[in-house]
Amino acid sequence: MLNLSSDYVEGAHPLILDALIRTNMEQLPGYEMDSYCASAAQKIRMACECPDADVFFLVGGTQTNETIIATMLRPYEGVLCAQTGHIAVHESGAVEYTGHKALTLEGKDGKISAEQIRDYVSSFYADSNHEHMVFPGMVYISHPTEYGTLYSLNELTNISEVCHAYHLPLFLDGARLGYGLMSRNTDVTLGDIARLCDVFYIGGTKVGALCGEAVVFQPGRAPAHFITMVKQHGAMLAKGRLLGIQFDTLFTNHLYEEISKHAIEMAESMKSILHKHKIPFFLETETNQQFVTLKNTELTYLSQHLIYSTWEPVDAEHTAIRLCTSWATDSAKLEELDSILANMP
Amino acid sequence: MLNLSSDYVEGAHPLILDALIRTNMEQLPGYEMDSYCASAAQKIRMACECPDADVFFLVGGTQTNETIIATMLRPYEGVLCAQTGHIAVHESGAVEYTGHKALTLEGKDGKISAEQIRDYVSSFYADSNHEHMVFPGMVYISHPTEYGTLYSLNELTNISEVCHAYHLPLFLDGARLGYGLMSRNTDVTLGDIARLCDVFYIGGTKVGALCGEAVVFQPGRAPAHFITMVKQHGAMLAKGRLLGIQFDTLFTNHLYEEISKHAIEMAESMKSILHKHKIPFFLETETNQQFVTLKNTELTYLSQHLIYSTWEPVDAEHTAIRLCTSWATDSAKLEELDSILANMP
Amino acid sequence: MLNLSSDYVEGAHPLILDALIRTNMEQLPGYEMDSYCASAAQKIRMACECPDADVFFLVGGTQTNETIIATMLRPYEGVLCAQTGHIAVHESGAVEYTGHKALTLEGKDGKISAEQIRDYVSSFYADSNHEHMVFPGMVYISHPTEYGTLYSLNELTNISEVCHAYHLPLFLDGARLGYGLMSRNTDVTLGDIARLCDVFYIGGTKVGALCGEAVVFQPGRAPAHFITMVKQHGAMLAKGRLLGIQFDTLFTNHLYEEISKHAIEMAESMKSILHKHKIPFFLETETNQQFVTLKNTELTYLSQHLIYSTWEPVDAEHTAIRLCTSWATDSAKLEELDSILANMP
Amino acid sequence: MLNLSSDYVEGAHPLILDALIRTNMEQLPGYEMDSYCASAAQKIRMACECPDADVFFLVGGTQTNETIIATMLRPYEGVLCAQTGHIAVHESGAVEYTGHKALTLEGKDGKISAEQIRDYVSSFYADSNHEHMVFPGMVYISHPTEYGTLYSLNELTNISEVCHAYHLPLFLDGARLGYGLMSRNTDVTLGDIARLCDVFYIGGTKVGALCGEAVVFQPGRAPAHFITMVKQHGAMLAKGRLLGIQFDTLFTNHLYEEISKHAIEMAESMKSILHKHKIPFFLETETNQQFVTLKNTELTYLSQHLIYSTWEPVDAEHTAIRLCTSWATDSAKLEELDSILANMP
């Protein structure tokens, strides 16, 4: 059955598997002290145009989010984020488990604005009771967001400025970063992100790797003894090579860009098919996630032919679903979608 | 340079890589809901002779230890363990980070005894101040231990009995379990472990996998909503297939046993070579880790030809080092060791 | 200067000080094992019409809230509350510090409804991703609320029923409980609260004591080894007598009721004075806290004669303030208020 | 029945009760913003010869220990202490509950040495695996210790020097500080402690107050937003006056010294009585706690006439017990002890 439910339903890009096989018998030190981690980190620094960045490799998204947040905040601080932010909704309270509050702002299609941050922080300090409250200590945004939307360079610059004005580190969750960077109309580059954020990560799991997220700190922004805290959070791989080799491959010959670009092209084709069949969009995006609204009766048919993600109920008779593309989506799959929709009663 | 420092210096057993390649394009659900996780879990249940066990797959050892301990303890409880236990020494305080104290017993070569547990617990309850103290809430042992030593079936049975008498779950860290099971003189089987422990894990990372630990709970012993807490600890893989496929391979055609048995055979050969060269043992074990004592002057030579693990200073002039074998150790490597030692001044 | 800013600006009711003096030289065991704690607990059980309740004494409100919540929740659970709830806003993230998320509902004048709870919980379980989310694990309400409002018996009964239907413990923060019980039109008794809630506390600090909150658990609802966890949270007094003697006094000859009734009478008089001077109410309540809206220009005058609590900005030119009565408020103080308002330009 | 079990079996020194009565009707701001807290803090600064110290008032010992430790440590750090330290044994794991490990050193009569600290820290950094371990982040000592023993000025100076050499804050638990300062042969003054420690506290609960511990930070050593974290730990009193008034009284006219000196005199008399009756000492100290060894058969008699603290079993037939004096111990009580011992079979 066709599966467009997510961008992590297949394994890894073949070049990654090739690299794992090629390097398999090399004897390498553990705990990310190997040469592939070093090489990958260096390639990422170059791609970020930030030669002094600190780069670390973690295994998955929730883990990366909670480790970064817990290690950058002081105990009296919480993290500002959209109320739809992944950390606020779909991480089983991992941030709270580390002792910190997610301070939520009402987002718009997954995004928050510089103005909202400014208002929150200035109201906070104006409140005479603020010493009895949780201090805003950093800002979390995702790009693309959980809704597949993107910040413009202008929006991102404004957020960065307000963050720095208030000494709030800006943290960008890039679990699907590639799809944002390769989106057709974006004006945001990897260099921009590295320049504007104190810390962000380049998602591997959802962009062609088996697992892995590459965390990039601006020079001097990595918490002291970050490695020890990564270990403490259970986030360090003994065979760190698994992460190093994957990211070294992704950042060789622009593979990360190619994978992402391919998924965007497939997403644009998928959008055309959806339009052709007059499927109403719940949210049409410029990245690899598309959200459409279907009648529940239509879903009875669809679910026999297509695996999708149920997003949220729209009303008693309609439901929003998500369809994704990835490096592994090809024309054959989209033709199958076309045919399934053509036959929808 | 020859590297015998650990059992995780190479990649994965070739059959695991084959399986990853073979299944790469299959579209599978995430978060360990895929058919390979199901199949691996079922094979493990059979290997454990425990058809109703609950099996979960986590990524690494520290993560597995802290997740199991944190989810099985109540807040007023700590975990009893040897003072040399991995959780007490080499996990950056991951257990304490979850709010729990490691209650250490003085071990002997990494092991603790049923009697020590009984004494600790009965003294605890006899102490009129015990309500102001940390309650012993579970027992952690490793098998093989951090020193490569093994419990006998009799010792393990006694520990299990005292644990059950005091309603303390018994948790066995099997990061290197295969080497224990395939050790030449052990009388402990996987079925024994599954029967005697409330929870244990079958280590993958150090026994031929790229990553992964398979957690086995006796029927009814898994904490409610364990999956949600695995997510909360940042320990759930989106592409859970990576764990399922590896363990499915390891438990097909006895690969896990074969890998372990090979490492034991190589360890026995390595021991012969060490004896031949009259290298004094710091601790001679029946598993894949061997500990020898060398003069610091000898290490100056050795470190130019061999990568080993520095274990601990013995005195001002001697140091204990660790040498390990694994699935990837072959005769050629041992011959190289032989030759290096032969030339040691 | 007249101070109506809160109900904790004076010391203790004189009968409490008398009791402290009278018992001062008695030699008593520590840690709440003394006869006064036992006597106070027994009197509270009787007043609650719950002879088998478990009663504990803690020192302050935030401490009591976080200790109860942290010890009743499992790690995967959060606490449902109004977004204006004290635990969600004014406790410096104490609940999150213990690892749990406050799951906020949009309240109305500080209150939430049975229907909101039902909707939240049923939506939660209907969400196919709920295993990646924080489970609703208990419900927190305050009575009176932070806005001085009260639940009716019907509302409280409905909330209790929905909580029990979903196996969610209901926790009532009674930091100002006396003022709720003695409010003129309430139909809620202490017995009702003890019957409908799994756990609640009878506030001492804000109702005539120097410090102290009496926690009442329905029979069988207190977490095992609660005392040890109270100690762990730093919430146990060595000289527990300080709490026992105070609550024993408060629950002798209906002192707790008398104190509360007096404050309500004073609040009703204060309301008359405010109405007489045509001060618009931001929120007029039936308890000891009243909220009025003043022009910022008026506050310039007022702040020279009266200490009040700034509540929140209403618009650019108006601010809501809070005025409170207590056991120590007398006619003279209210006459002073009358005179201050009479002279307000 | 005579009770010498502890120094917190009576209420408060009468002058403290007088002050509470005298100030009862004053209207004061809450949360330690009142004039008595300010005055007490100033008097403490003067007594400490440290005019720029930061002084805060907390409620009890365990709370104070865990709040200071949790707010001064970074997440990757633990606290070095004697294995008999109160935080390591009798606080229900409160330090671990905040996420930090107590790194224990083998003490001698409750004390640790500068040399032990130096050895621990230098071994730690020499260990090539130390990034996988808990970093020593501060040092906790108690003075008097849990065994009633005292550091000499020389010992304390050495500890302070090694702490500063390694950038480890030195924290002194002074729950019974007065008895240390007034001990007959001590050469350590309050000024010395304030000079040598980064933070310490002056115990109130066990030295004549109803409750309360005064925390003193060297200038610049208090964590940013300490007040917010005190609130977060549930350690802030709404009626902070209760602490301010008590400490203001204790530090007026040398009351704190007088109380302590009286207890020391009573302890010396008690020691004479114990010697006279040839009761063997388990540990004879220069402070208000004395430890003697009795036959279990003697305890059967004794426990009918005297309330004492059971300390620890010495052997199958003997038990060590603790006897304490305080501000409330008088000659009549000691005569009663004399008579009880005279009649011991």
Side-chain angles (χ1 to χ4, degrees):
Chain A
M1 187 149 63
L2 181 62
N3 187 337
L4 295 171
S5 65
S6 189
D7 34 22
Y8 45 87
V9 296
E10 286 91 4
H13 190 280
L15 288 175
I16 285 179
L17 292 182
D18 288 352
L20 289 175
I21 292 160
R22 194 173 61 243
T23 61
N24 193 49
M25 293 309 293
E26 291 182 30
Q27 291 190 310
L28 297 172
Y31 305 113
E32 309 186 12
M33 303 299 286
D34 65 279
S35 54
Y36 292 99
C37 283
S39 166
Q42 184 56 15
K43 288 174 183 171
I44 286 171
R45 282 185 205 101
M46 293 304 105
C48 292
E49 300 162 38
C50 189
D52 297 319
D54 282 309
V55 179
F56 300 91
F57 301 102
L58 277 75
V59 179
T62 296
Q63 181 184 87
T64 304
N65 286 333
E66 57 96 354
T67 302
I68 289 174
I69 290 168
T71 59
M72 294 193 80
L73 291 181
R74 292 288 303 156
Y76 52 88
E77 296 176 331
V79 55
L80 277 169
C81 62
Q83 66 188 163
T84 53
H86 207 256
I87 57 167
V89 185
H90 284 121
E91 301 191 351
S92 301
V95 167
E96 287 80 8
Y97 188 69
T98 71
H100 298 283
K101 191 180 182 79
L103 304 164
T104 53
L105 301 172
E106 194 178 332
K108 169 88 180 89
D109 294 342
K111 292 165 60 179
I112 55 175
S113 71
E115 199 167 10
Q116 284 181 296
I117 298 167
R118 184 182 295 111
D119 287 352
Y120 187 96
V121 180
S122 60
S123 299
F124 174 82
Y125 284 104
D127 189 327
S128 59
N129 289 317
H130 73 267
E131 289 202 326
H132 292 211
M133 297 164 71
V134 176
F135 281 63
M138 69 191 297
V139 171
Y140 165 95
I141 57 175
S142 42
H143 182 88
T145 68
E146 296 75 10
Y147 285 82
T149 52
L150 292 174
Y151 289 91
S152 69
L153 182 56
N154 191 43
E155 289 170 333
L156 209 55
T157 303
N158 288 343
I159 288 175
S160 179
E161 283 174 3
V162 70
C163 284
H164 293 152
Y166 286 115
H167 304 290
L168 300 173
L170 175 59
F171 165 34
L172 183 147
D173 171 341
R176 291 188 167 93
L177 188 57
Y179 307 126
L181 296 173
M182 291 298 109
S183 176
R184 292 188 174 177
N185 297 310
T186 186
D187 58 352
V188 175
T189 67
L190 186 55
D192 292 329
I193 287 170
R195 180 173 49 82
L196 295 170
C197 300
D198 297 86
V199 56
F200 69 100
Y201 64 96
I202 301 169
T205 308
K206 293 170 179 169
V207 193
L210 289 167
C211 61
E213 319 294 316
V215 179
V216 182
F217 287 97
Q218 274 194 2
R221 302 299 289 149
H225 301 297
F226 185 67
I227 276 297
T228 300
M229 295 189 286
V230 166
K231 176 88 178 182
Q232 187 179 59
H233 284 250
M236 183 179 286
L237 273 192
K239 288 182 178 166
R241 65 196 293 151
L242 173 58
L243 302 173
I245 291 162
Q246 291 187 93
F247 274 98
D248 194 53
T249 306
L250 286 170
F251 280 82
T252 298
N253 295 330
H254 304 283
L255 178 60
Y256 192 74
E257 292 178 20
E258 260 180 48
I259 284 174
S260 306
K261 195 175 172 192
H262 172 79
I264 292 294
E265 283 164 8
M266 290 294 108
E268 294 294 331
S269 299
M270 184 172 74
K271 281 158 68 174
S272 304
I273 293 168
L274 292 163
H275 280 299
K276 176 177 133 193
H277 293 286
K278 303 199 188 314
I279 309 293
F281 275 74
F282 177 76
L283 190 63
E284 184 170 358
T285 81
E286 306 212 322
T287 61
N288 75 319
Q289 303 181 80
Q290 301 301 327
F291 304 85
V292 287
T293 301
L294 286 152
K295 293 184 195 161
N296 294 343
T297 49
E298 291 170 334
L299 289 178
T300 307
Y301 161 81
L302 214 54
S303 61
Q304 292 171 326
H305 304 277
L306 173 68
I307 302 175
Y308 53 82
S309 286
T310 300
W311 200 248
E312 58 184 68
V314 173
D315 58 34
E317 285 152 31
H318 296 81
T319 299
I321 67 167
R322 183 185 71 170
L323 300 177
C324 294
T325 60
S326 76
W327 65 272
T329 312
D330 57 13
S331 311
K333 287 199 173 75
L334 294 185
E335 282 162 26
E336 195 178 342
L337 175 66
D338 190 15
S339 149
I340 290 168
L341 292 176
N343 291 317
M344 187 160 71
Chain B
M1 189 149 64
L2 180 62
N3 188 337
L4 295 171
S5 66
S6 188
D7 33 23
Y8 46 86
V9 296
E10 286 91 4
H13 190 280
L15 288 176
I16 285 179
L17 292 181
D18 288 351
L20 289 174
I21 292 162
R22 195 173 59 242
T23 61
N24 194 48
M25 294 308 292
E26 292 182 29
Q27 291 191 309
L28 298 171
Y31 305 114
E32 310 187 10
M33 304 299 285
D34 64 279
S35 55
Y36 292 100
C37 283
S39 166
Q42 184 56 17
K43 288 174 183 169
I44 286 171
R45 282 185 206 101
M46 292 305 105
C48 292
E49 301 164 37
C50 188
D52 296 319
D54 282 309
V55 179
F56 300 91
F57 300 101
L58 275 75
V59 179
T62 295
Q63 182 185 85
T64 304
N65 286 334
E66 58 96 353
T67 302
I68 289 174
I69 290 168
T71 58
M72 293 193 79
L73 290 181
R74 292 288 302 155
Y76 53 87
E77 295 175 333
V79 54
L80 277 169
C81 62
Q83 67 189 163
T84 53
H86 207 255
I87 57 167
V89 185
H90 283 121
E91 301 191 352
S92 300
V95 167
E96 287 80 9
Y97 188 69
T98 72
H100 298 283
K101 191 180 182 79
L103 304 164
T104 53
L105 301 172
E106 194 178 332
K108 169 86 180 89
D109 294 342
K111 292 165 59 180
I112 56 175
S113 71
E115 200 166 10
Q116 283 181 296
I117 298 167
R118 184 182 296 111
D119 285 353
Y120 187 96
V121 181
S122 59
S123 299
F124 175 82
Y125 284 104
D127 189 326
S128 59
N129 289 316
H130 74 267
E131 289 202 327
H132 291 211
M133 298 164 71
V134 176
F135 282 63
M138 70 192 295
V139 171
Y140 164 96
I141 56 175
S142 41
H143 181 87
T145 68
E146 297 74 11
Y147 284 82
T149 52
L150 291 174
Y151 289 92
S152 69
L153 180 57
N154 191 44
E155 288 170 333
L156 209 55
T157 302
N158 288 343
I159 288 175
S160 179
E161 282 174 2
V162 71
C163 284
H164 293 151
Y166 286 116
H167 303 292
L168 299 173
L170 175 59
F171 166 34
L172 183 147
D173 171 341
R176 291 187 167 94
L177 187 57
Y179 307 126
L181 296 173
M182 291 298 108
S183 177
R184 291 189 174 176
N185 297 310
T186 186
D187 57 353
V188 175
T189 67
L190 187 55
D192 292 330
I193 287 170
R195 181 173 49 82
L196 295 171
C197 300
D198 297 85
V199 57
F200 70 100
Y201 65 97
I202 301 169
T205 309
K206 293 171 179 168
V207 192
L210 288 167
C211 60
E213 318 294 316
V215 179
V216 182
F217 286 98
Q218 274 193 2
R221 303 300 290 149
H225 301 296
F226 185 67
I227 276 297
T228 301
M229 296 189 286
V230 166
K231 177 89 180 179
Q232 187 179 58
H233 284 250
M236 184 180 286
L237 273 192
K239 287 182 178 166
R241 66 195 295 151
L242 173 58
L243 302 174
I245 291 163
Q246 291 187 93
F247 275 98
D248 194 53
T249 306
L250 286 171
F251 280 82
T252 298
N253 295 331
H254 303 283
L255 179 59
Y256 193 74
E257 292 178 20
E258 260 180 48
I259 284 174
S260 306
K261 195 175 172 191
H262 172 79
I264 293 294
E265 283 164 8
M266 290 295 107
E268 294 294 331
S269 299
M270 184 172 73
K271 281 158 69 173
S272 303
I273 293 168
L274 293 162
H275 280 299
K276 175 178 136 193
H277 293 286
K278 303 201 190 311
I279 310 292
F281 275 75
F282 178 75
L283 189 64
E284 183 169 1
T285 81
E286 306 215 321
T287 62
N288 74 318
Q289 302 181 81
Q290 302 301 328
F291 304 85
V292 288
T293 301
L294 286 151
K295 294 184 194 160
N296 296 341
T297 49
E298 292 169 335
L299 289 178
T300 308
Y301 161 80
L302 213 55
S303 60
Q304 292 170 327
H305 305 277
L306 173 69
I307 303 175
Y308 53 82
S309 285
T310 300
W311 200 248
E312 58 184 69
V314 173
D315 58 34
E317 284 151 33
H318 296 81
T319 299
I321 67 167
R322 182 184 72 169
L323 300 177
C324 294
T325 61
S326 77
W327 65 272
T329 313
D330 58 13
S331 311
K333 287 199 173 74
L334 295 185
E335 281 161 25
E336 195 177 341
L337 175 66
D338 190 16
S339 148
I340 290 168
L341 294 176
N343 292 317
M344 187 160 72
Chain C
M1 188 147 67
L2 180 62
N3 187 336
L4 295 171
S5 66
S6 189
D7 33 23
Y8 47 85
V9 296
E10 288 91 5
H13 190 280
L15 288 175
I16 285 179
L17 292 182
D18 288 352
L20 290 174
I21 292 161
R22 195 172 60 242
T23 60
N24 195 49
M25 294 308 294
E26 292 182 28
Q27 291 191 311
L28 298 172
Y31 304 114
E32 308 187 13
M33 303 299 286
D34 64 278
S35 55
Y36 292 100
C37 282
S39 165
Q42 184 56 16
K43 288 174 184 170
I44 286 171
R45 282 185 206 101
M46 293 304 106
C48 292
E49 300 163 36
C50 189
D52 296 320
D54 282 309
V55 179
F56 300 91
F57 301 101
L58 276 76
V59 179
T62 295
Q63 181 185 86
T64 304
N65 286 334
E66 57 96 355
T67 302
I68 288 174
I69 291 167
T71 59
M72 292 192 80
L73 290 181
R74 292 287 303 155
Y76 54 87
E77 296 175 332
V79 55
L80 277 169
C81 62
Q83 68 189 164
T84 54
H86 207 256
I87 57 168
V89 185
H90 284 121
E91 301 192 351
S92 300
V95 166
E96 286 81 9
Y97 188 69
T98 71
H100 298 283
K101 191 180 182 79
L103 304 164
T104 53
L105 301 173
E106 194 177 334
K108 169 87 181 88
D109 294 342
K111 292 165 59 180
I112 55 175
S113 70
E115 199 167 9
Q116 283 180 297
I117 298 167
R118 184 181 298 112
D119 285 354
Y120 188 96
V121 180
S122 59
S123 299
F124 174 82
Y125 283 104
D127 189 326
S128 59
N129 289 317
H130 73 267
E131 289 202 326
H132 292 210
M133 297 165 70
V134 176
F135 282 63
M138 69 190 298
V139 171
Y140 164 96
I141 56 174
S142 41
H143 181 87
T145 68
E146 297 73 13
Y147 284 82
T149 52
L150 292 174
Y151 290 91
S152 69
L153 181 56
N154 190 42
E155 289 170 334
L156 209 55
T157 302
N158 288 343
I159 289 174
S160 179
E161 282 174 3
V162 71
C163 284
H164 293 150
Y166 285 114
H167 304 292
L168 300 173
L170 175 58
F171 166 34
L172 183 147
D173 171 340
R176 292 187 166 94
L177 187 57
Y179 308 126
L181 296 173
M182 291 297 110
S183 176
R184 288 186 176 179
N185 297 311
T186 186
D187 58 352
V188 175
T189 67
L190 187 54
D192 291 331
I193 287 170
R195 180 173 50 82
L196 296 170
C197 299
D198 297 86
V199 57
F200 70 100
Y201 65 97
I202 301 170
T205 309
K206 293 171 180 169
V207 192
L210 288 167
C211 62
E213 319 294 316
V215 179
V216 182
F217 286 98
Q218 274 194 2
R221 302 299 290 149
H225 300 296
F226 186 67
I227 276 296
T228 300
M229 296 189 286
V230 166
K231 176 88 179 180
Q232 188 179 57
H233 284 251
M236 183 179 286
L237 274 192
K239 288 182 178 167
R241 64 194 295 150
L242 173 58
L243 302 174
I245 291 163
Q246 291 188 94
F247 274 99
D248 194 53
T249 305
L250 286 171
F251 280 84
T252 298
N253 296 330
H254 304 283
L255 178 59
Y256 192 74
E257 292 178 20
E258 259 180 49
I259 283 174
S260 305
K261 195 176 172 193
H262 172 79
I264 292 296
E265 283 164 9
M266 290 293 107
E268 294 294 330
S269 299
M270 185 172 74
K271 281 159 68 175
S272 302
I273 292 167
L274 292 163
H275 280 299
K276 177 177 132 191
H277 292 287
K278 303 200 190 313
I279 309 294
F281 276 75
F282 178 76
L283 190 63
E284 182 170 359
T285 81
E286 305 214 322
T287 62
N288 75 319
Q289 303 182 79
Q290 302 301 328
F291 303 85
V292 287
T293 301
L294 287 153
K295 292 182 194 160
N296 295 342
T297 51
E298 291 169 335
L299 288 179
T300 308
Y301 161 80
L302 214 55
S303 61
Q304 292 171 326
H305 305 277
L306 173 70
I307 302 174
Y308 52 82
S309 285
T310 299
W311 200 247
E312 57 184 69
V314 173
D315 59 33
E317 285 151 32
H318 297 81
T319 299
I321 67 167
R322 182 185 72 169
L323 300 177
C324 294
T325 61
S326 78
W327 65 271
T329 312
D330 58 14
S331 311
K333 288 200 173 75
L334 294 185
E335 283 162 25
E336 195 179 339
L337 176 66
D338 190 15
S339 149
I340 291 168
L341 292 176
N343 292 315
M344 188 160 71
Chain D
M1 187 147 66
L2 180 63
N3 188 336
L4 295 171
S5 66
S6 189
D7 33 23
Y8 46 86
V9 296
E10 287 91 5
H13 190 280
L15 288 175
I16 284 180
L17 292 182
D18 288 352
L20 289 175
I21 292 162
R22 195 172 61 242
T23 60
N24 194 49
M25 294 307 294
E26 292 182 30
Q27 290 191 310
L28 298 171
Y31 304 114
E32 309 188 10
M33 304 298 287
D34 64 279
S35 54
Y36 293 99
C37 282
S39 166
Q42 185 56 17
K43 288 174 183 171
I44 286 171
R45 282 185 205 100
M46 292 304 106
C48 292
E49 301 163 36
C50 189
D52 297 320
D54 282 310
V55 179
F56 300 92
F57 301 101
L58 276 77
V59 179
T62 295
Q63 181 184 86
T64 304
N65 286 333
E66 56 96 355
T67 303
I68 289 174
I69 290 167
T71 59
M72 294 192 78
L73 290 181
R74 293 288 303 156
Y76 53 88
E77 296 174 332
V79 54
L80 277 169
C81 62
Q83 66 188 162
T84 54
H86 207 256
I87 57 168
V89 184
H90 284 121
E91 301 192 351
S92 301
V95 166
E96 285 80 8
Y97 188 69
T98 72
H100 298 283
K101 191 180 182 79
L103 304 164
T104 52
L105 301 172
E106 194 177 333
K108 169 87 181 89
D109 295 341
K111 292 164 60 179
I112 56 175
S113 71
E115 199 167 9
Q116 283 180 298
I117 298 167
R118 184 182 297 112
D119 286 352
Y120 187 96
V121 180
S122 60
S123 299
F124 174 82
Y125 284 104
D127 188 327
S128 59
N129 289 317
H130 73 268
E131 289 202 326
H132 291 212
M133 296 164 71
V134 176
F135 281 63
M138 69 191 296
V139 171
Y140 165 96
I141 56 174
S142 42
H143 181 87
T145 67
E146 297 74 11
Y147 284 82
T149 52
L150 292 174
Y151 289 91
S152 69
L153 181 56
N154 190 43
E155 289 169 333
L156 209 55
T157 303
N158 288 344
I159 288 175
S160 179
E161 283 174 2
V162 71
C163 284
H164 293 151
Y166 285 115
H167 303 292
L168 300 173
L170 175 59
F171 166 33
L172 183 146
D173 172 341
R176 292 188 167 93
L177 188 57
Y179 307 125
L181 297 173
M182 291 298 110
S183 175
R184 291 187 174 178
N185 297 312
T186 185
D187 57 354
V188 175
T189 67
L190 187 55
D192 292 330
I193 287 169
R195 181 172 48 82
L196 295 171
C197 299
D198 297 86
V199 57
F200 70 100
Y201 65 97
I202 302 170
T205 308
K206 293 171 179 169
V207 192
L210 288 167
C211 62
E213 319 295 316
V215 179
V216 182
F217 285 98
Q218 274 194 3
R221 302 300 289 150
H225 301 297
F226 186 67
I227 277 296
T228 301
M229 295 189 286
V230 166
K231 176 88 180 181
Q232 188 179 58
H233 284 251
M236 184 180 286
L237 273 192
K239 288 182 178 167
R241 65 196 293 150
L242 173 59
L243 301 173
I245 291 163
Q246 291 188 93
F247 274 98
D248 194 53
T249 306
L250 286 170
F251 280 83
T252 297
N253 294 331
H254 304 283
L255 179 59
Y256 192 74
E257 292 178 19
E258 260 180 47
I259 284 174
S260 305
K261 195 175 171 193
H262 172 79
I264 293 294
E265 283 164 8
M266 290 294 108
E268 295 293 332
S269 299
M270 186 171 73
K271 282 159 67 176
S272 302
I273 293 167
L274 292 163
H275 280 298
K276 177 177 132 191
H277 293 286
K278 303 199 189 315
I279 310 293
F281 275 75
F282 176 76
L283 190 64
E284 183 170 359
T285 81
E286 305 213 322
T287 62
N288 74 320
Q289 302 182 81
Q290 301 302 327
F291 304 85
V292 286
T293 300
L294 286 152
K295 293 182 194 160
N296 294 343
T297 50
E298 292 170 334
L299 288 179
T300 307
Y301 160 80
L302 214 55
S303 61
Q304 292 170 326
H305 304 277
L306 173 70
I307 303 175
Y308 52 82
S309 285
T310 300
W311 200 246
E312 58 183 69
V314 174
D315 58 34
E317 285 151 33
H318 296 81
T319 299
I321 68 167
R322 182 185 71 170
L323 300 177
C324 293
T325 61
S326 79
W327 65 271
T329 312
D330 58 14
S331 310
K333 288 200 173 75
L334 295 185
E335 282 161 25
E336 196 179 339
L337 175 66
D338 190 16
S339 148
I340 290 168
L341 293 176
N343 292 316
M344 188 160 71

